[in-house]
Amino acid sequence: MNTSLAWIKALVPGLEATEQEYMDAMTLSGTKVEGYQKLDADLDKIVVGQIKKIERHPDADKLIVCQVDIGEEEEIQIVTGAPNVSEGDKVPVVLAGGRVAGGHDGSLTPGGIKIKKGKLRGIPSNGMMCSIEELGFSRDMYPEAPEDGIYIFEPEATVGADAIALLGLRDAVIEYEVTSNRVDCFSVLGIAREAAATFRKEFKPPVVTETGNGEDVNDMVKVTVKDSDLCSRYTARVVKNIKLAPSPKWMQRRLSAQGIRPINNLVDITNYVMAEYGQPMHAYDLDTIAGNEIIVRRALAGETFVTLDGQERKLDESVLMICDAEKPVGIAGIMGGENSMITDNVKTMLFEAACFDGANIRLSSKKIGLRTDASSIFEKGLDPNHAIEAMNRACQLVEELGAGEVVGGVVDVYPVKKEGRRIPFEPEKYNRLLGTNIAKEEMLEFFARLELGYDAVSNEILTPSFRQDLECDADLAEEVARFYGYDNIPTTLPTGEATTGKLSFKLRIEEVARDIAEFCGFSQGMCYSFESPKVFDKLLIPEDSKLREAVVISNPLGEDFSIMRTIPLNGMLTSLSTNYNRRNKDVRLYELGNIYLPKQTPVTELPEERMQFTLGMYGEGDFYTLKGVVEEFFGKIGMHGKMTCHPSADRPYLHPGRQADIFYQGTAVGYLGEVHPVVAANYSIKDRVYIAALDMPKIVACASFDRKYQGIAKYPAASRDISMVVPKDVLAGDIEEVFDAKGGVYLESYQLFDIYEGKQITAGYKSIAYSLTFRGTEKNLEEADITEAMDRILKALETMGIELRK
């Protein structure tokens, strides 16, 4: 995106910044300037001179000697070979010591060419009269310049005035890098609005006055939009009694600075409005529009169309067309047709300003192999509210330039008006995001400069429709940062867990789970979340089980990936099976992955996702090995309370006599056990397989990283061994609960060291032996202290039918 700095300054009165100052300030406020080019960089000491007298050179047939008035007391003498000058002409004159950009052939010299006093064929020459090429430009940008000769000013030009300023070259072309979300900045008005806010100056857009005669354009033209999804707004006006002529110099200069070649008043008006408002326009010869009707529709399959460049384009149903009652007359947003082009014989013209779907314009442009200035703007997604503003501005210029008679009224097809957004005003949040302490009033002042409104009743910021990039609080915080000044935001320490490099509590628990598993020899596996419904049969899950109520994928890759898993075992067993059948011994795997539990079926809302910590192994190790890994994990995450394993679990996929539910302080947090032999066989594993699955949401709720320091024991420990004859239905966990309840404050720990069943033990009983350790924290224990605790324990054990082994 390029703009003329002089044009920007005309819209922002009082803006006196140099090119470098402008570039730096705009870049800091978020409108990045890539660079600039001064149009007069290589031009110096060039004034308007008037030729007073012309004489032939005495020694050269093709040279003439001119006496030139440059507004000083004495005239200067210049020798030239230009064939197009006459006495009385006013021309650009480079004084001795001045510079021009290049040669008469249009070649440019870096730094310019310095003009010195000298003699041509013996006659003194004290300067040089310039062609437009010698000033570094061409007839494309200055169509009034002669094809070969000196540039001649209008008669009203002031002798001695700055010729560079008169030619509009005291200007700079500023190049911006505009991001695609700032569609409003692809226009001179958009950039000027940003400049006004940046430099705290008033923004004065052009005042558009009412135009049109007493007629009504709706009586002359009809517009029908058949595909409103691709054309959100279409406006049209009519201009009759067209008078083609060159556009005024001020318009030509501004267009030239934008890199747009002036052509005639009508073409220049459409290009000028496109640059000013960022709204492409198109003009049709109304006499070529059949039925005076415009129809906006998709192209027909296989339809062809000849565009203004004379090329035939092949179309399909995705391309949007502008048609009359009989035929297409233009490709919407890209290029008009040869059959409706404006010629020198035009009498009545139809102006079009519309808003088309940006994505469709982009795709259509690529499909037909034609990208234009208009399509490059449309594809960014325009504000439909600008269409009528641009239309009225164009018609105003038509009247001001005397290019024709504007018919009153406007055809405006706009079924759904686009409104700006309302975003809650939360200054505290913006300050937290930015690390600043900006007052609410100062923020509102920034917003006011950007034409953002404020509703004090609802405490909302009202964004205009042209600011399509403003959607949420972060966007408003960015606006505050831009105009407060990024360089003014203080350096502060990061705050919050997300910015300190610290993992969340949940992720820290999962990290510990990985560390413990890998420390215990387990390797991490990743299993699919999509599974086959046949999994439930392989795992022996009953038909009426809730586990079979799974989320069904609407577009699965196949039946084997048609549901989301409700249990983590299939993936783990499949991985173990793969290893087993590849003859890998002693395999240990773990996974941290989600299961997906629908809240109801069929699914109407997102399912509950629960992270599962799954451990699987075969080979060396057994039930108690896996139980030890779980206990190690619990201890590491601060779960020092009572963990118990109840063998009453009734899970069909586990061995009926070798499975248990894991409880922590009375809450079920998972299960472990040996996989049912039939299930193992279903996965082609001919070895004992052990599985543990922990429900991580419940684990996280119980975990803690709080640590309490305990000093090294000062007093010695005392131990007592106890060997008991225990009924077979009494669990070791039941005995340990007695130890915890009756052992008192001196019981430090206990350890199971023997279980025996045999001929020496009565049928229906088993022998269990524990070692109990006692220690005092404040004193050396006496025998009476230990005996008292042991008596309480033994008495409680007797009530359970337990006897000491003799």
Side-chain angles (χ1 to χ4, degrees):
M1 173 67 188
N2 295 344
T3 70
S4 156
L5 182 56
W7 196 351
I8 297 296
K9 289 182 175 180
L11 294 167
V12 187
L15 177 56
E16 301 295 339
T18 65
E19 291 84 359
Q20 189 63 48
E21 290 170 344
Y22 178 86
M23 174 179 172
D24 294 342
M26 291 293 283
T27 299
L28 280 175
S29 69
T31 307
K32 184 181 179 184
V33 177
E34 288 287 290
Y36 64 88
Q37 177 187 3
K38 294 187 68 172
L39 300 183
D40 60 347
D42 298 328
L43 305 175
D44 188 32
K45 297 178 71 174
I46 304 177
V47 299
V48 177
Q50 185 174 27
I51 301 174
K52 292 296 186 179
K53 185 178 179 180
I54 296 178
E55 298 177 336
R56 289 206 164 275
H57 194 290
D59 296 324
D61 293 338
K62 294 185 178 181
L63 297 179
I64 56 176
V65 181
C66 302
Q67 305 302 319
V68 182
D69 179 8
I70 57 171
E72 298 181 359
E73 292 182 3
E74 294 185 5
E75 296 176 353
I76 63 173
Q77 178 173 286
I78 298 176
V79 179
T80 181
N84 67 316
V85 294
S86 304
E87 292 183 356
D89 286 347
K90 294 180 179 180
V91 297
V93 176
V94 188
L95 304 179
R99 287 179 300 142
V100 292
H104 186 70
D105 58 356
S107 60
L108 300 179
T109 301
I113 300 173
K114 191 170 183 177
I115 303 302
K116 301 177 182 179
K117 292 182 180 181
K119 291 183 178 181
L120 289 177
R121 291 291 187 93
I123 302 297
S125 182
N126 298 325
M128 185 180 81
M129 293 181 283
C130 304
S131 67
I132 200 67
E133 288 78 14
E134 287 164 331
L135 295 174
F137 297 89
S138 67
R139 294 184 68 248
D140 284 343
M141 298 305 175
Y142 289 83
E144 74 278 11
E147 187 171 350
D148 184 22
I150 301 301
Y151 184 87
I152 299 175
F153 287 111
E154 299 289 339
E156 58 269 18
T158 302
V159 174
D162 184 352
I164 303 306
L166 196 59
L167 287 167
L169 299 178
R170 293 293 185 207
D171 196 2
V173 176
I174 311 295
E175 181 184 356
Y176 307 86
E177 180 186 328
V178 181
T179 54
S180 58
N181 66 323
R182 289 302 305 273
V183 181
D184 58 302
C185 286
F186 286 95
S187 66
V188 174
L189 288 179
I191 295 293
R193 185 183 291 107
E194 289 289 310
T198 298
F199 290 94
R200 296 178 180 266
K201 302 293 183 181
E202 184 181 2
F203 171 52
K204 284 194 173 182
V207 178
V208 181
T209 56
E210 186 176 350
T211 56
N213 58 21
E215 300 176 81
D216 186 356
V217 68
N218 291 279
D219 298 331
M220 300 176 62
V221 176
K222 179 183 177 183
V223 174
T224 303
V225 178
K226 292 187 175 180
D227 294 288
S228 58
D229 58 322
L230 300 183
C231 177
S232 57
R233 189 176 196 180
Y234 192 99
T235 66
R237 296 193 73 175
V238 170
V239 179
K240 59 184 185 178
N241 302 324
I242 298 295
K243 299 174 184 177
L244 293 179
S247 54
K249 293 290 188 295
W250 65 266
M251 181 175 283
Q252 291 189 29
R253 301 296 178 258
R254 286 184 175 179
L255 290 175
S256 297
Q258 295 287 118
I260 301 173
R261 180 169 64 91
I263 298 175
N264 60 48
N265 49 7
L266 286 181
V267 175
D268 291 353
I269 285 171
T270 59
N271 286 334
Y272 185 86
V273 172
M274 181 174 72
E276 188 174 44
Y277 280 84
Q279 170 66 55
M281 301 186 67
H282 190 69
Y284 301 96
D285 186 341
L286 187 60
D287 293 333
T288 65
I289 304 298
N292 284 8
E293 181 178 10
I294 291 292
I295 300 172
V296 184
R297 62 164 175 82
R298 283 179 166 86
L300 305 176
E303 192 171 12
T304 59
F305 181 70
V306 179
T307 48
L308 277 171
D309 56 2
Q311 299 294 314
E312 184 177 81
R313 312 287 177 177
K314 294 182 179 180
L315 314 172
D316 61 24
E317 298 95 327
S318 67
V319 180
L320 190 67
M321 301 296 294
I322 309 298
C323 308
D324 61 18
E326 298 175 354
K327 62 187 180 300
V329 294
I331 303 177
I334 301 177
M335 185 177 281
E338 198 176 46
N339 57 6
S340 62
M341 65 186 295
I342 299 292
T343 65
D344 292 344
N345 299 320
V346 63
K347 300 298 181 186
T348 307
M349 179 189 68
L350 175 68
F351 257 148
E352 165 196 286
C355 186
F356 304 112
D357 179 72
N360 177 262
I361 296 297
R362 171 72 172 164
L363 293 172
S364 299
S365 176
K366 293 184 68 176
K367 188 170 293 184
I368 66 176
L370 177 62
R371 195 164 189 260
T372 61
D373 290 341
S375 69
S376 67
I377 295 176
F378 273 121
E379 68 189 26
K380 294 174 175 64
L382 299 186
D383 175 16
N385 293 324
H386 271 176
I388 193 65
E389 296 178 26
M391 173 65 76
N392 292 335
R393 173 63 167 159
C395 291
Q396 177 190 30
L397 290 172
V398 167
E399 288 193 350
E400 289 180 358
L401 303 187
E405 179 185 354
V406 179
V407 176
V410 61
V411 179
D412 188 2
V413 181
Y414 194 12
V416 181
K417 185 177 180 181
K418 182 174 182 178
E419 304 288 352
R421 297 184 179 89
R422 301 176 72 94
I423 305 174
F425 179 49
E426 302 172 288
E428 296 82 6
K429 181 179 286 187
Y430 310 154
N431 278 322
R432 286 198 303 272
L433 283 171
L434 301 175
T436 56
N437 188 26
I438 305 171
K440 167 185 175 181
E441 293 72 21
E442 189 173 1
M443 293 184 186
L444 290 176
E445 192 267 331
F446 296 153
F447 295 155
R449 283 190 286 168
L450 292 167
E451 299 184 19
L452 308 185
Y454 175 59
D455 185 343
V457 176
S458 62
N459 192 39
E460 292 177 315
I461 299 298
L462 312 178
T463 66
S465 57
F466 63 79
R467 286 303 303 271
Q468 301 179 34
D469 59 306
L470 300 181
E471 298 180 348
C472 62
D473 53 4
D475 296 325
L476 292 182
E478 181 184 9
E479 298 304 293
V480 171
R482 289 201 300 134
F483 293 101
Y484 179 70
Y486 290 110
D487 53 332
N488 294 324
I489 296 176
T491 300
T492 57
L493 290 174
T495 59
E497 287 192 357
T499 59
T500 58
K502 179 181 177 182
L503 294 175
S504 66
F505 184 76
K506 171 180 175 292
L507 293 179
R508 289 169 66 194
I509 299 296
E510 292 176 10
E511 187 176 50
V512 172
R514 293 187 188 93
D515 290 344
I516 292 297
E518 290 168 11
F519 175 78
C520 295
F522 289 77
S523 298
Q524 185 171 13
M526 299 292 289
C527 303
Y528 290 117
S529 295
F530 296 166
E531 293 185 335
S532 167
K534 298 175 183 178
V535 165
F536 301 124
D537 294 332
K538 291 178 71 174
L539 295 173
L540 308 181
I541 294 174
E543 292 290 335
D544 58 350
S545 173
K546 291 282 290 183
L547 294 175
R548 287 182 179 262
E549 297 178 8
V551 177
V552 179
I553 307 302
S554 60
N555 57 340
L557 297 174
E559 186 183 8
D560 288 345
F561 303 96
S562 61
I563 64 170
M564 302 192 76
R565 64 180 181 176
T566 58
I567 185 171
L569 296 193
N570 175 65
M572 178 59 68
L573 291 174
T574 300
S575 297
L576 291 173
S577 174
T578 301
N579 279 275
Y580 181 83
N581 287 290
R582 290 180 181 175
R583 300 186 179 181
N584 291 327
K585 297 180 179 180
D586 302 325
V587 174
R588 297 184 178 191
L589 299 177
Y590 78 94
E591 183 202 11
L592 281 164
N594 287 335
I595 59 172
Y596 304 86
L597 306 177
K599 297 172 184 177
Q600 68 278 318
T601 51
V603 174
T604 58
E605 58 181 313
L606 292 175
E608 180 185 7
E609 299 183 29
R610 299 189 70 86
M611 176 69 70
Q612 305 291 295
F613 179 27
T614 309
L615 299 157
M617 56 181 281
Y618 67 81
E620 184 179 351
D622 55 17
F623 178 96
Y624 296 101
T625 304
L626 204 54
K627 179 173 176 284
V629 175
V630 174
E631 290 174 337
E632 183 77 14
F633 172 53
F634 282 8
K636 193 69 174 178
I637 59 175
M639 294 173 63
H640 300 301
K642 186 65 175 177
M643 168 190 157
T644 56
C645 294
H646 287 260
S648 57
D650 186 19
R651 301 179 185 274
Y653 38 83
L654 297 180
H655 192 293
R658 299 169 188 165
Q659 60 174 289
D661 283 336
I662 302 171
F663 286 82
Y664 179 76
Q665 294 184 341
T667 301
V669 295
Y671 57 87
L672 72 134
E674 181 184 328
V675 173
H676 197 292
V678 174
V679 174
N682 289 340
Y683 286 89
S684 304
I685 304 175
K686 299 177 181 179
D687 199 349
R688 290 189 175 185
V689 183
Y690 298 94
I691 291 287
L694 301 176
D695 189 49
M696 291 301 284
K698 292 181 179 178
I699 297 293
V700 170
C702 298
S704 171
F705 287 110
D706 293 338
R707 296 289 187 267
K708 185 177 180 181
Y709 172 74
Q710 288 184 333
I712 299 174
K714 297 179 180 179
Y715 302 99
S719 63
R720 296 289 186 271
D721 291 345
I722 179 173
S723 180
M724 301 164 285
V725 178
V726 182
K728 278 192 175 182
D729 59 348
V730 176
L731 304 176
D734 298 333
I735 297 173
E736 291 174 0
E737 287 180 0
V738 171
F739 294 161
D740 290 331
K742 303 298 182 179
V745 294
Y746 298 138
L747 180 61
E748 184 179 71
S749 63
Y750 46 81
Q751 181 70 42
L752 174 68
F753 67 85
D754 182 58
I755 297 179
Y756 173 74
E757 293 182 46
K759 295 180 180 179
Q760 293 85 354
I761 305 300
T762 306
Y765 287 82
K766 58 188 174 183
S767 173
I768 295 181
Y770 275 90
S771 177
L772 287 72
T773 300
F774 297 88
R775 189 194 304 268
T777 58
E778 302 294 336
K779 66 171 186 174
N780 271 326
L781 295 183
E782 298 178 0
E783 182 63 29
D785 296 324
I786 301 174
T787 301
E788 183 181 350
M790 289 298 297
D791 288 345
R792 289 195 304 269
I793 291 171
L794 294 174
K795 189 173 182 180
L797 292 175
E798 288 176 1
T799 62
M800 300 169 62
I802 298 174
E803 299 177 357
L804 289 178
R805 187 176 178 186
K806 299 176 183 178

